[in-house]
């Protein structure tokens, strides 16, 4: 499905919806309440002299749009700019999630920040982009976004930080995972003891997978000194690792 087809269908739908506003003005307010519950009507204004302010949401499929933008070539970008879409955090998040390639998602993420209309990335769009990049092990781009949120004072949720650490573990990016952990308070704020224990567990798995036993043992010692006692699962994993390495003394 081409980008021109998707945008043409969207513009046609928007035009068609605008033509029914006059008939909507005569409908009872209860009807609008039902439409709002289904997501069809965006806003409901008081009907005393302001019925014309009712705004409908034209249909736009983020998946179809993302598919049409998969190559992100100049002609596609030009067509997207000409459509003059109103970018919201929710729409940007949906579109980012729909892209199949992290590189295309990143191109769109950078592009949309400079579009007319005053759109600004928030914690939701940044978190979505960080998760996409971390899943593809784009460490440099994740680091640049983390620097940006530290500068702007944006705080990520604990679940996002844990996801990044886990994804780095899957791609064996142990140093990058540890770097995120070291900046935990700057990018996430205060974290509970149970939360820190979960992150330590993820880091231990990562360094064991990378066969960096000495760093894993340093992390265990660091945990104990900070008042966090490793649980039985952590000890079992460490013992199994060192046993497989033939290091019975450490076991």
């Amino acid at each position: 499905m081409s980008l021109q087809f998707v945008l043409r269908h969207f513009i046609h739908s928007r035009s068609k919806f605008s033509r029914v506003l006059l008939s909507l003005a005569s409908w009872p307010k209860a009807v609008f309440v039902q439409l709002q519950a289904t997501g069809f009507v965006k806003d409901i204004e008081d009907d005393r002299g302001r019925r014309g302010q009712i705004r409908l949401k034209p249909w736009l499929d983020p998946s179809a749009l993302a598919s049409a933008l998969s190559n992100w070539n100049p002609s596609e970008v030009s067509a997207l700019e000409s459509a003059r879409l109103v970018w919201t955090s929710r729409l940007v998040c949906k579109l980012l999630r729909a892209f199949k390639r992290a590189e295309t998602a990143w191109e769109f993420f950078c592009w949309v920040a400079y579009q007319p209309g005053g759109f600004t990335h928030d914690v939701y769009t940044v978190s979505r982009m960080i998760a996409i990049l971390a899943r593809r092990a784009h460490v440099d781009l994740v680091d640049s976004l983390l620097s940006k949120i530290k500068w702007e004072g944006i705080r990520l949720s604990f679940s996002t930080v844990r996801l990044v650490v886990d994804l780095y573990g899957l791609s064996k990016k142990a140093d990058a995972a540890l770097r995120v952990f070291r900046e935990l308070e700057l990018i996430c704020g205060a974290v509970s003891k149970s939360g820190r224990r979960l992150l330590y567990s993820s880091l231990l798995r990562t360094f064991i997978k990378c066969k960096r036993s000495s760093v894993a043992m340093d992390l265990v010692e660091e945990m104990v000194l900070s008042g966090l006692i490793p649980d039985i699962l952590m000890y079992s994993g460490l013992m199994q690792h060192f046993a497989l390495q033939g290091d019975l003394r450490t076991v």
Side-chain angles (χ1 to χ4, degrees):
M1 187 180 296
S2 67
L3 176 61
Q4 287 76 12
F5 176 83
V6 174
L7 294 177
R8 187 165 59 248
H9 181 80
F10 168 74
I11 294 171
H12 172 73
S13 300
R14 181 170 57 187
S15 175
K16 183 178 180 181
F17 285 162
S18 66
R19 290 198 298 269
V20 303
L21 285 177
L22 289 177
S23 63
L24 288 176
S26 63
W27 291 8
K29 188 172 182 178
V31 174
F32 295 120
V33 173
Q34 293 179 358
L35 289 174
Q36 187 186 44
T38 64
F40 187 73
V41 173
K42 183 176 182 180
D43 291 311
I44 298 176
E45 304 289 348
D46 191 296
D47 62 347
R48 289 171 296 181
R50 294 187 293 173
R51 286 171 178 160
Q53 295 183 21
I54 296 170
R55 298 194 297 260
L56 298 181
K57 293 195 297 185
W59 176 84
L60 177 64
D61 183 2
S63 297
L65 184 57
S67 178
L69 290 166
S70 59
N71 295 322
W72 197 256
N73 58 49
S75 62
E76 293 173 346
V77 175
S78 177
L80 189 60
E81 291 172 347
S82 301
R84 297 182 181 180
L85 301 179
V86 177
W87 297 106
T88 64
S89 176
R90 184 178 181 182
L91 178 57
V92 170
C93 282
K94 286 185 175 181
L95 199 54
L96 287 173
R97 183 171 54 188
F99 282 117
K100 294 182 178 180
R101 297 175 62 250
E103 294 78 9
T104 308
W106 175 250
E107 293 277 4
F108 168 74
F109 181 87
C110 297
W111 172 86
V112 75
Y114 293 97
Q115 297 310 297
F119 173 78
T120 303
H121 285 297
D122 58 17
V123 64
Y124 302 105
T125 59
V126 172
S127 297
R128 176 69 64 183
M129 192 69 250
I130 286 177
I132 293 171
L133 294 172
R135 185 170 284 109
R136 299 295 187 272
H138 290 289
V139 176
D140 292 341
L141 293 180
V142 172
D143 285 347
S144 68
L145 278 180
L146 292 179
S147 298
K148 174 183 173 64
I149 65 173
K150 285 186 292 184
W151 176 262
E152 297 183 357
I154 298 175
R155 294 291 179 87
L156 298 178
S157 66
F158 172 76
S159 59
T160 299
V161 175
R162 185 186 179 191
L163 177 64
V164 171
V165 172
D166 286 339
L167 290 173
Y168 277 168
L170 292 175
S171 56
K172 296 184 178 182
K173 301 292 184 179
D175 290 328
L178 185 59
R179 189 163 56 248
V180 172
F181 177 76
R182 295 302 185 209
E183 298 182 337
L184 184 60
E185 292 188 0
L186 291 176
I187 62 179
C188 185
V191 177
S192 65
K193 283 189 174 183
S194 60
R196 295 182 70 88
R197 182 180 286 106
L198 288 172
L199 291 178
Y200 270 117
S201 178
S202 296
L203 286 173
L204 286 173
R205 287 196 302 270
T206 298
F207 280 97
I208 287 174
K209 185 183 298 183
C210 295
K211 297 182 179 181
R212 296 174 63 179
S213 304
S214 61
V215 179
M217 292 304 295
D218 289 343
L219 287 172
V220 172
E221 183 178 354
E222 182 181 306
M223 281 187 67
V224 175
L225 291 176
S226 66
L228 296 174
I229 307 301
D231 57 28
I232 187 64
L233 292 177
M234 292 185 192
Y235 279 126
S236 298
L238 288 169
M239 292 173 66
Q240 181 181 15
H241 166 71
F242 286 113
L244 292 174
Q245 296 297 312
D247 189 353
L248 299 181
R249 182 178 179 180
T250 303
V251 175

